[in-house]
Amino acid sequence: MKPILEVQHITKQFKIGAKQERYLSLRDAIAKPFRRQDKNDTTFYALNDVSFDVYPGESVGIIGRNGAGKSTLLKILSKITPPTHGKIICRGRVASLLEVGTGFHPELSGRENIYMNGSILGMRKFEIDKHFDAIVEFSGVEKFLDTPLKRFSSGMQLRLAFSVAAFLEPEILIIDEVLAVGDAAFQKKCLGKMDEVSKSGRTVLFVSHDMNAIEQLCKRVVILEKGQKISEGATQTLISNYLSSNKDQWLGEIALTEEIQLSHFDFHSIVESTGSHLQFQIRLDFIKAQSPEISDFCILIYSLKGVRVAVIDLRPFINKFVFDNKHLEINGFLEDINLVEEDYAIGLYFTINNISKEMLDLGHVRVKPPLAETELNPYQAQYRGFIDFSNNIKIS
């Protein structure tokens, strides 16, 4: 089966400091080799030799930091801007949703804007008529449909714009960060609609910084960094590696306050046949020689996407800590971590001498399944939570 989309050695370069170019004409093309080049111009590669294939019915996520070249790539795929080098082979009708709301007119009513925006996005009038009621129902603005768009709130405008785009029916749908629209309920609705589109057999390219959305929609991801493709593969594995690589690790002593310093921090996971365990060691040094008053002390465990998944409360053990006027040292062992296989970040929260401090990103640990072999593969990411009770269940 041939790919529906082939990206072959795409390079896009810009000149920093160059004057804005005019529209390209025959005269410009002939004169370009003889023009004097500005020595102050600096060439910047937004994309550099990027290649990958997308097959029919596949949903592919494109992730990377800001400035990695994600949006530039989508604009090239959407034929908004041409590549400097390389080529795109496309075997299907493409529709792109890059900037929600483009093509709306504030003086026209919501009804009129549905038809105008739909036409701009490539829908014919009979297609808009066919989906009109569904678009209005999805947007939730039917009460204000004949009101000029300038009377809509910004959230209502975004809801209407996304609703029009959501009912496009191309073979290839290109989406860039559209799930940031509306409130939490509408975002969930948008995600469900995109999931429906991907499962209908259409090909989807999706750019987002929301790793949960990428995991739910895409089975494969492409990671860009500084304009280059650095990896491509299964979503769950690459997202975990990507998030882990962007987390700051413990680098040494940290002055928490004028009186307290975190001088030692060590966490590591232990995998045995019975499951995964966690061993940790923490040391706080007190600059002033006085017995500190500790009212809160706990370890935080959260996903690399920023969701807190567990807390280890150490308050019941405060009197058992190795403790004197100079330092506080904690050595502990947590048995039977039921968290699913993934990388997790570790943090601390404590209140000492009425000063509260929450510290995140001190390091991360990788939870692995028991060493015992299993015939079953783990469920896909969209069906898994943070905790796995599979080994705790008893069937009579």
Side-chain angles (χ1 to χ4, degrees), residues 128-326:
I128 302 174
D129 289 337
K130 174 184 174 183
H131 296 296
F132 185 84
D133 291 339
I135 291 171
V136 174
E137 181 182 358
F138 191 87
S139 68
V141 300
E142 59 272 17
K143 186 177 180 180
F144 310 98
L145 198 57
D146 294 309
T147 303
L149 196 75
K150 63 183 180 182
R151 309 291 185 201
F152 283 35
S153 69
S154 57
M156 291 169 64
Q157 293 181 33
L158 290 172
R159 289 164 67 105
L160 186 62
F162 180 86
S163 300
V164 175
F167 286 88
L168 294 170
E169 294 184 342
E171 285 82 13
I172 305 170
L173 182 60
I174 298 174
I175 311 166
D176 186 8
E177 285 291 3
V178 297
L179 295 179
V181 305
D183 52 31
F186 190 72
Q187 288 181 28
K188 185 176 180 181
K189 199 174 182 180
C190 292
L191 191 60
K193 183 62 180 178
M194 291 301 96
D195 191 34
E196 179 185 325
V197 168
S198 66
K199 289 178 179 177
S200 67
R202 282 176 277 174
T203 303
V204 176
L205 265 70
F206 182 41
V207 164
S208 179
H209 291 288
D210 186 344
M211 296 299 115
N212 290 314
I214 291 285
E215 277 191 343
Q216 182 169 339
L217 292 177
C218 308
K219 294 184 179 179
R220 184 163 65 93
V221 297
V222 174
I223 301 180
L224 298 180
E225 184 175 317
K226 296 180 180 178
Q228 295 182 312
K229 186 187 83 171
I230 60 171
S231 56
E232 174 185 359
T235 299
Q236 188 174 357
T237 301
L238 286 194
I239 284 181
S240 179
N241 294 340
Y242 167 72
L243 293 173
S244 298
S245 67
N246 289 322
K247 285 292 177 185
D248 295 330
Q249 299 303 300
W250 168 250
L251 299 176
E253 296 179 348
I254 297 178
L256 308 180
T257 69
E258 294 181 356
E259 301 179 4
I260 307 169
Q261 181 172 278
L262 179 60
S263 58
H264 183 78
F265 185 88
D266 181 42
F267 276 78
H268 59 272
S269 55
I270 301 170
V271 182
E272 298 177 349
S273 60
T274 55
S276 194
H277 313 302
L278 184 67
Q279 189 167 344
F280 56 90
Q281 185 177 34
I282 305 167
R283 180 183 172 115
L284 299 181
D285 290 332
F286 303 104
I287 299 171
K288 294 185 178 181
Q290 60 180 12
S291 298
E293 180 183 344
I294 303 174
S295 54
D296 295 307
F297 209 107
C298 66
I299 297 168
L300 308 174
I301 303 178
Y302 56 100
S303 74
L304 297 186
K305 300 163 196 167
V307 179
R308 189 173 299 166
V309 298
V311 59
I312 304 172
D313 189 353
L314 299 177
R315 289 175 298 178
F317 309 102
I318 285 179
N319 294 330
K320 298 180 182 180
F321 293 156
V322 179
F323 177 77
D324 57 31
N325 290 337
K326 292 290 187 179

Side-chain angles (χ1 to χ4, degrees), residues 240-241 268-278 336-344 364-372 374 378 384 386 388 391:
S240 179
N241 294 340
H268 59 272
S269 55
I270 301 170
V271 182
E272 298 177 349
S273 60
T274 55
S276 194
H277 313 302
L278 184 67
D336 298 332
I337 303 175
N338 289 324
L339 296 171
V340 297
E341 180 182 5
E342 194 172 325
D343 281 6
Y344 294 90
H364 67 270
V365 294
R366 174 164 292 180
V367 174
K368 296 182 179 180
L371 296 178
T374 175
R384 302 172 72 189
F386 290 116
D388 187 356
N391 296 325

